[in-house]
């Protein structure tokens, strides 16, 4: 899994933290996606990535087999 920046990383983290359907575990996954060392297992990272994708914080921009590249995004409802 790779990420590209589509938005400011700090604004992205703030939006995840304040979103009603995300948890502190999702915030840790987001930090891990930005390269910060966390204690998340690969399975927890995969689950958190899926939650962030469904919530609109990740937009897939390339898929190569099981390797996804995501663009960071802030859902319109959160950005407004």
């Amino acid at each position: 899994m790779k990420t590209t920046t589509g938005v400011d990383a700090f604004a992205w983290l703030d939006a995840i933290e304040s979103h009603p359907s995300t948890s502190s575990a999702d915030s840790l996954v987001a930090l891990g996606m930005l390269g910060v060392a966390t204690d998340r297992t690969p399975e927890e990272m995969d689950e958190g990535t899926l939650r962030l994708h469904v919530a609109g914080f990740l937009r897939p921009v390339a898929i190569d087999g099981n390797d996804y590249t995501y663009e960071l995004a802030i859902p319109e409802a959160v950005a407004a």
Side-chain angles (χ1 to χ4, degrees):
M1 167 186 47
K2 302 173 198 149
T3 58
T4 63
T5 55
V7 296
D8 177 73
F10 292 112
W12 183 68
L13 291 170
D14 283 342
I16 291 170
E17 185 66 32
S18 65
H19 196 273
S21 71
T22 58
S23 67
S24 58
D26 297 320
S27 294
L28 284 174
V29 169
L31 285 168
M33 294 181 81
L34 293 174
V36 176
T38 68
D39 64 353
R40 303 288 93 180
T41 65
E43 293 81 16
E44 290 170 326
M45 287 296 293
D46 287 345
E47 290 172 14
T49 299
L50 179 60
R51 284 192 304 273
L52 291 173
H53 178 162
V54 169
F57 290 102
L58 296 172
R59 184 177 303 122
V61 293
I63 302 171
D64 183 16
N66 288 331
D67 190 25
Y68 284 66
T69 300
Y70 289 103
E71 180 178 76
L72 308 182
I74 298 177
E76 286 186 30
V78 175

